[in-house]
Amino acid sequence: MTVAVTLAKSKMGRKLLRYAIVACLAILVSFAVLIMVVASAVASILFGSGNSGSASATGAVSSTGSITVTFSKTEPAESAYALAHIPSAQTSPSVVTFPILYAAATQNGSCVMPWPILAGVANEETTFGTSRSAGVSSGSNGAGAEGPFQFEPATFVGYANPAPAFPGAATPPSIYDATNAAFSAARKLCQDGILTDPKYALWTYNAGLVGVTFQLVNGTYTPVYNDSIFAGSSDNPARYVTDVLENAALYGGGTISGSSTISVAGLAPGSGNTELMRARSALWMDLFGNGLSCEQALQTPCWNAMPTILADLDGIALPAAPSAMRSDLGSVSAPHAGDVILFGSYMTTTDPKTHQQTTTLQINNNAYAVMIDSSSHEIALVESKIQIVKLSAPVTEGQQIDGMTVQIVGSPF
């Protein structure tokens, strides 16, 4: 203390003291600037300011679970949040970033969905393929799912068209390949109505039709969701939908000029493209007929395969009992893929009092068929199992198939 007072009284001491004070102030200012830079960087990562100067990401969840996410009509740029949380590169080739891959996958075909939604699915399923859980890079998990987008093999086959001219894609398509899986997931989400009803597309991607029923509202079959059956489970599709869309809002950097809104509360599923629906339904029946498990693919017995396919993929409520299907089928003279064939016989009864005879058509409730390929006359015969039958001639009413008489050929579309 005595030495410090002596220095302060001397000329040299006062000079040294001034230098010390200036140095301390400089250190404090530098430290404050550093704190501000770090805070700004953290805020940028957390709130996703876009690298193109766009507004912060939007994605609000109301108390009822309704979610609205706003995206640009043009491809959203990767936000700071996306750059911090999505791996910077694929395994092969190392120069292609995941956002570029997702953007390419989501613009393949007639449906163009925002790539951040696909990124949200990849994050929820396997953290962009980085998870070490069973079934991600090889094998399958306890539910039979495989690959970075956790497809069941039977489902993957239906969407695994080759990724067109995309570098690094496996040939033939592999369920474990990031590129093939991303393109296939985008196709499935598009066909399940991601642009019109993202909740339905994401819920069924995660849990199939478990917890989903359809109600007729203003002439349209609309999905109704029940997540109470998932109480106590860590795998709740309602939470899955919320997480995917919240992250999608952060990945895309928010709104840019010309934005459009995607809301969870939407329309009934299905593209309205009759040819697409026919082909898709026929494809599924064909897969089951070639030995794949109906229970594994659709979580339903083979008997309910066709009604489940139509409800799952197209939002069409077709009764499971063939006799009840009858009123929902439009009569067709030449069946196309996806059309339904009902069998039956005419029964004649006599009134014991009037002796008047009445003939009625009795539909066989133990079997029906679905047209697979009208050009080759292939049908999927649905009984306790599904088998593919190749006929020698086009299907017509009155024709005998496996000892049963064709009575109705109709379209559910």
Side-chain angles (χ1 to χ4, degrees):
M1 182 69 180
T2 304
V3 174
V5 172
T6 303
L7 282 172
K9 288 181 178 179
S10 67
K11 187 175 182 180
M12 178 63 71
R14 289 193 296 273
K15 197 171 187 178
L16 291 173
L17 190 58
R18 284 197 299 272
Y19 288 154
I21 291 172
V22 170
C24 287
L25 288 173
I27 292 172
L28 288 173
V29 170
S30 298
F31 185 72
V33 170
L34 179 61
I35 291 294
M36 291 175 66
V37 170
V38 171
S40 176
V42 170
S44 176
I45 291 173
L46 290 177
F47 300 108
S49 57
N51 57 13
S52 61
S54 60
S56 296
T58 60
V61 183
S62 73
S63 58
T64 62
S66 175
I67 307 166
T68 299
V69 181
T70 305
F71 293 102
S72 168
K73 288 181 180 176
T74 58
E75 277 300 321
E78 302 111 299
S79 66
Y81 184 90
L83 295 174
H85 289 79
I86 300 177
S88 60
Q90 290 178 247
T91 302
S92 175
S94 61
V95 295
V96 179
T97 65
F98 271 118
I100 291 175
L101 166 60
Y102 299 148
T106 54
Q107 294 191 61
N108 176 46
S110 59
C111 166
V112 179
M113 59 180 279
W115 72 260
I117 293 182
L118 189 61
V121 171
N123 178 48
E124 285 299 304
E125 295 294 342
T126 62
T127 317
F128 307 103
T130 63
S131 171
R132 296 180 180 273
S133 300
V136 177
S137 57
S138 63
S140 60
N141 65 15
E146 301 177 355
F149 278 86
Q150 292 292 274
F151 274 103
E152 290 186 355
T155 306
F156 180 74
V157 170
Y159 300 97
N161 301 331
F166 198 86
T171 304
S174 166
I175 199 170
Y176 302 106
D177 179 74
T179 301
N180 295 146
F183 273 76
S184 299
R187 292 186 189 106
K188 175 168 171 52
L189 289 166
C190 279
Q191 290 192 4
D192 287 353
I194 190 68
L195 294 179
T196 55
D197 192 349
K199 182 173 184 178
Y200 177 85
L202 293 171
W203 181 298
T204 53
Y205 190 99
N206 177 244
L209 278 180
V210 179
V212 183
T213 57
F214 290 89
Q215 292 184 1
L216 190 62
V217 179
N218 296 326
T220 301
Y221 284 100
T222 304
V224 178
Y225 304 94
N226 175 21
D227 67 347
S228 64
I229 61 176
F230 298 93
S233 170
S234 59
D235 188 16
N236 188 320
R239 182 70 250 175
Y240 179 92
V241 172
T242 301
D243 290 344
V244 167
L245 293 181
E246 283 182 327
N247 280 316
L250 295 176
Y251 295 148
T255 60
I256 313 174
S257 59
S259 63
S260 60
T261 299
I262 294 175
S263 176
V264 161
L267 306 174
S271 66
N273 183 326
T274 303
E275 292 305 314
L276 178 63
M277 290 190 284
R278 288 181 187 275
R280 188 161 68 238
S281 298
L283 170 66
W284 277 83
M285 298 300 283
D286 190 24
L287 291 174
F288 298 143
N290 282 286
L292 295 176
S293 167
C294 301
E295 286 78 0
Q296 181 185 29
L298 288 178
Q299 300 179 346
T300 187
C302 282
W303 178 252
N304 291 327
M306 185 63 178
T308 301
I309 290 165
L310 291 175
D312 190 357
L313 298 180
D314 304 310
I316 297 172
L318 186 69
S323 58
M325 288 182 190
R326 179 181 176 183
S327 62
D328 286 22
L329 298 175
S331 179
V332 294
S333 56
H336 294 82
D339 289 347
V340 177
I341 301 160
L342 301 183
F343 305 103
S345 58
Y346 284 93
M347 303 291 292
T348 300
T349 57
T350 303
D351 187 311
K353 293 183 178 181
T354 63
H355 303 288
Q356 183 176 356
Q357 291 186 326
T358 303
T359 302
T360 57
L361 174 61
Q362 302 294 315
I363 297 297
N364 184 345
N365 265 331
N366 298 313
Y368 65 95
V370 178
M371 177 59 68
I372 298 298
D373 187 340
S374 56
S375 62
S376 62
H377 316 312
E378 279 188 327
I379 65 169
L381 184 59
V382 184
E383 297 178 283
S384 58
K385 62 179 182 178
I386 297 178
Q387 58 179 320
I388 300 299
V389 177
K390 189 168 184 177
L391 306 173
S392 58
V395 176
T396 58
E397 291 185 11
Q399 181 179 1
Q400 291 285 309
I401 299 176
D402 200 27
M404 297 177 291
T405 304
V406 174
Q407 298 293 355
I408 293 174
V409 182
S411 173
F413 302 106

